[in-house]
Amino acid sequence: MDKVIEFLATGFYSGLSPYAPGTVGTVVAAILLWIAFKLGMGLVGFPLVFIIFIIGTFLSHYAENLFGEKDAPQIVVDEFAGLLVAMYNLPVTMLIPAFVLFRVFDILKPPPIRNLQKFHGGVGIMLDDILAGLIANLLIQFIVHFA
């Protein structure tokens, strides 16, 4: 069971990259999302985001124990969830802007994103990325609406 949790929590082992594991994990998530769009998935909706958040919370909680480190960099299921939130209700043409904005907010962690890391376990791992994705999404929605 530990190997399954590791495989999923590390984004199909993309989080094991020695360089920028969060970005590599987000690239894998973006590729999978692009494929899903091309296969006719449609827009990212709330049920998918909710399911990935719940599963990701449990996976990251157990993976944190496996790696023996708080919010271990190998855990990238939170990046998958964050990108989904960034792409919530947006067309595939917004994938690159959503990717870039999400990574900027996730890396810089401006307040209040940084404050969410105080939560322990899987919730703390997931929440900062969810908020980074939400801010990225709202910024894109604002730009698209007023441009």
Side-chain angles (χ1 to χ4, degrees):
M1 191 61 160
D2 287 353
K3 286 294 181 190
V4 172
I5 290 170
E6 181 182 359
F7 177 71
L8 295 173
T10 62
F12 315 113
Y13 298 127
S14 63
L16 300 180
S17 169
Y19 304 104
T23 300
V24 173
T26 310
V27 166
V28 170
I31 291 167
L32 293 173
L33 194 52
W34 182 82
I35 290 168
F37 270 111
K38 291 302 176 185
L39 293 175
M41 178 188 86
L43 301 178
V44 173
F46 180 77
L48 178 60
V49 171
F50 182 75
I51 289 167
I52 297 300
F53 175 75
I54 296 298
I55 292 170
T57 299
F58 285 106
L59 285 172
S60 57
H61 176 79
Y62 288 109
E64 187 174 61
N65 292 330
L66 284 176
F67 291 114
E69 182 180 352
K70 180 174 174 23
D71 200 359
Q74 301 94 326
I75 301 169
V76 297
V77 67
D78 52 333
E79 272 76 16
F80 277 59
L83 184 62
L84 284 176
V85 172
M87 283 299 295
Y88 180 81
N89 208 28
L90 292 173
V92 70
T93 56
M94 293 292 117
L95 185 55
I96 292 173
F99 174 91
V100 170
L101 286 172
F102 166 67
R103 288 308 299 148
V104 166
F105 289 122
D106 188 36
I107 291 168
L108 297 179
K109 296 196 188 316
I113 296 170
R114 182 180 312 121
N115 301 342
L116 293 175
Q117 291 185 309
K118 294 176 185 175
F119 287 92
H120 296 286
V123 171
I125 293 171
M126 296 294 289
L127 281 181
D128 66 310
D129 290 78
I130 295 296
L131 185 55
L134 179 62
I135 294 170
N137 182 282
L138 292 173
L139 186 57
I140 292 170
Q141 298 277 4
F142 180 81
I143 291 168
V144 167
H145 182 66
F146 290 105

